[in-house]
Amino acid sequence: MRSRFSAYALDDTAYIIKTWAGSVQPEKIDFSKEPIEWKRLEIIATKKGGIKDSKGMVEFKAFYNQNAKELVLHEASRFIKTNGRWLYLDGVVKSVGKIVPQSNEGKNAPCSCGSGKKYKRCCGAA
């Protein structure tokens, strides 16, 4: 999964096609339509995919910039092992959208007064 993400980041279409399972492998991929700048990959969960397994699943979030927007792709991808190599079979897109900034508010967040203490131990103490 990580190597395919890196290939997308580098626009390495040959590697992406080479790591796609033969039964669903596209003939070509065209990245020229909408330029994307891939930023980072976050693995959410994996199922199987070990040395003795012949199939596996990776759920991930891929963060990227497109048209001056910060976006995230959340997908669950299936892989199969063929001749000792993991190949991408297919995936289910769970969501695609803008990145929602995480709020740093709450009792365990640093206090806004600048004391360096947690809010619950400083201004939020009862």
Side-chain angles (χ1 to χ4, degrees):
M1 181 67 235
R2 293 185 194 283
S3 68
R4 283 180 56 85
F5 175 82
S6 296
Y8 274 95
L10 298 170
D11 291 337
D12 187 350
T13 57
Y15 183 83
I16 295 167
I17 292 171
K18 188 170 114 179
T19 57
W20 215 307
S23 61
V24 293
Q25 188 178 68
E27 289 183 26
K28 66 177 187 171
I29 301 172
D30 185 9
F31 288 130
S32 66
K33 295 176 186 173
E34 299 178 14
I36 294 175
E37 181 184 8
W38 296 97
K39 295 302 215 175
R40 68 183 172 94
L41 176 69
E42 181 181 312
I43 304 295
I44 307 293
T46 60
K47 286 185 185 174
K48 297 190 177 185
I51 294 172
K52 295 181 180 181
D53 296 319
S54 61
K55 51 185 165 179
M57 188 278 305
V58 178
E59 182 179 349
F60 67 91
K61 288 184 179 179
F63 297 84
Y64 62 99
N65 291 343
Q66 184 178 30
N67 299 327
K69 294 178 187 172
E70 292 182 347
L71 303 166
V72 61
L73 165 68
H74 184 184
E75 181 178 318
S77 297
R78 294 188 315 153
F79 290 83
I80 58 171
K81 191 188 290 185
T82 305
N83 297 325
R85 295 191 53 206
W86 286 103
L87 302 174
Y88 174 80
L89 184 60
D90 60 19
V92 175
V93 175
K94 294 189 171 214
S95 67
V96 176
K98 291 183 180 180
I99 296 174
V100 178
Q102 295 285 337
S103 173
N104 195 19
E105 297 176 10
K107 291 185 176 191
N108 286 318
C111 191
S112 59
C113 75
S115 68
K117 297 179 183 178
K118 290 182 179 182
Y119 174 76
K120 69 181 180 184
R121 302 265 186 246
C122 190
C123 296

